[in-house]
Amino acid sequence: AGDRIITAINTGASSLSFVGSAFIVLCYCLFKELRKFSFKLVFYLALSDMLCSFFLIVGDPSKGFICYAQGYTTHFFCVASFLWTTTIAFTLHRTVVKHKTDVEDLEAMFHLYVWGTSLVVTVIRSFGNNHSLGPWCWTQTGLKGKAVHFLTFYAPLWGAILYNGFTYFQVIRMLRNARRMAVGMSDRVDQFDNRAELKVLNRWGYYPLILIGSWAFGTINRIHDFIEPGHKIFWLSVLDVGTAALMGLFNSIAYGFNSSVRRAIHERLELFPERLYRWLPSFRPKNQQRSEMVSL
């Protein structure tokens, strides 16, 4: 019964992540104005999340090829997902703090770094390939398998979390210092721009928390499994599986559903006939409503 509950939670949460990530991938493919380098990195992140979620959904906990395939593909794309977040942090830091404009030239290096590292840790993981027969095939049994899983996933994961946290801290600190200097040199500050800027800064501060929220319970569960391998805590396993499977949804909302995406969607909605807005007034873009008020 416990395994069935965890399986249902995994499937439901992974499905939400798949839909959220697929939405960002679809927006990138449909809207040409989004195909800038910064959003291209978000596209690769969403693609990794989408495939990670897909293999979490289709995994078969029975023995055999399907179980191994799900374990390796999930490991590969989940590692690729959090590695793409480090490239986004690196790009922002290099642009804002170091004032470099060569980030687009590093795209090939980013691909080599993300896919190459993901492949290496997935291959190393095969040395401890004793897969469990629980609700998914990603976790492993046996001391050797657990150790390899921890070293090939959770160690680089927390390295990425620390790097992202340090990087965003530097970016936010520099922008706040620059803003403070600008305020000191100016007698008046536009209150709207001030609020918008603070909102962006606060949003960047949440990015590292996504990985922490997604994998904190999983890390605790793995450590507990090391200490007491014969005693599983059901509620901890539920939180482990649920939060990890929701990583794609969290990433798609934080990184993908930004003002550029919303603007692109609103511009397409403005092309809809006025009759549709009469039936569905809540779908009317705000900027169109504002322009109509101005004309009145």
Side-chain angles (χ1 to χ4, degrees):
D3 283 354
R4 286 199 299 269
I5 293 174
I6 294 177
T7 302
I9 291 173
N10 173 53
T11 302
S14 298
S15 299
L16 290 174
S17 291
F18 180 83
V19 171
S21 304
F23 174 77
I24 301 303
V25 171
L26 186 64
C27 287
Y28 179 83
C29 295
L30 292 178
F31 306 145
K32 291 183 179 181
E33 63 267 30
L34 295 178
R35 297 174 193 171
K36 300 174 182 177
F37 180 73
S38 58
F39 199 79
K40 187 184 290 187
L41 297 180
V42 175
F43 164 72
Y44 294 135
L45 169 62
L47 186 63
S48 300
D49 281 330
M50 187 179 74
L51 293 171
C52 175
S53 302
F54 173 77
F55 288 112
L56 280 175
I57 295 170
V58 302
D60 186 350
S62 62
K63 290 183 179 179
F65 172 76
I66 296 179
C67 184
Y68 285 106
Q70 190 240 4
Y72 292 131
T73 49
T74 302
H75 194 93
F76 178 87
F77 287 111
C78 284
V79 170
S81 173
F82 68 70
L83 290 181
W84 278 118
T85 67
T86 63
T87 66
I88 295 172
F90 174 85
T91 300
L92 191 62
H93 182 271
R94 191 169 180 81
T95 304
V96 175
V97 178
K98 294 192 174 183
H99 306 292
K100 300 287 186 179
T101 58
D102 60 346
V103 285
E104 294 190 30
D105 301 331
L106 302 175
E107 183 178 354
M109 293 297 296
F110 287 164
H111 282 286
L112 181 63
Y113 155 68
V114 173
W115 304 123
T117 304
S118 301
L119 180 62
V120 168
V121 296
T122 304
V123 170
I124 294 175
R125 182 179 182 271
S126 65
F127 295 125
N129 58 358
N130 296 319
H131 295 272
S132 71
L133 301 180
W136 55 2
C137 296
W138 187 40
T139 55
Q140 296 178 326
T141 56
L143 184 61
K144 181 181 176 181
K146 293 174 184 176
V148 170
H149 187 205
F150 197 89
L151 290 175
T152 57
F153 185 83
Y154 288 95
L157 166 70
W158 284 97
I161 290 173
L162 291 174
Y163 173 78
N164 288 356
F166 177 74
T167 300
Y168 283 113
F169 172 76
Q170 284 194 319
V171 170
I172 292 171
R173 184 179 63 177
M174 179 167 183
L175 288 177
R176 281 180 173 166
N177 289 340
R179 176 182 163 277
R180 198 174 294 118
M181 290 177 61
V183 170
M185 291 184 293
S186 176
D187 293 333
R188 59 181 294 275
V189 180
D190 192 319
Q191 190 174 3
F192 177 79
D193 290 341
N194 186 30
R195 286 200 304 267
E197 185 178 336
L198 289 176
K199 186 176 180 180
V200 171
L201 292 178
N202 291 333
R203 185 175 183 177
W204 285 344
Y206 289 130
Y207 286 171
L209 298 180
I210 295 173
L211 287 179
I212 296 175
S214 298
W215 297 106
F217 292 110
T219 306
I220 296 170
N221 202 16
R222 296 292 88 73
I223 294 174
H224 175 266
D225 200 28
F226 268 120
I227 300 172
E228 296 186 45
H231 176 63
K232 292 189 178 295
I233 303 176
F234 177 71
W235 64 266
L236 185 58
S237 298
V238 168
L239 291 174
D240 171 10
V241 173
T243 54
L246 285 172
M247 178 182 66
L249 179 64
F250 296 152
N251 283 336
S252 62
I253 294 172
Y255 289 94
F257 198 60
N258 54 29
S259 58
S260 299
V261 174
R262 292 194 296 270
R263 190 183 309 115
I265 295 173
H266 284 168
E267 288 174 357
R268 299 313 187 280
L269 290 176
E270 287 176 350
L271 301 177
F272 282 15
E274 183 63 26
R275 186 177 299 174
L276 177 65
Y277 291 132
R278 292 175 185 172
W279 289 98
L280 299 171
S282 60
F283 279 80
R284 185 188 298 272
K286 292 181 179 179
N287 54 355
Q288 184 175 338
Q289 294 175 346
R290 191 179 301 117
S291 63
E292 291 177 358
M293 291 297 293
V294 170
S295 64
L296 288 173

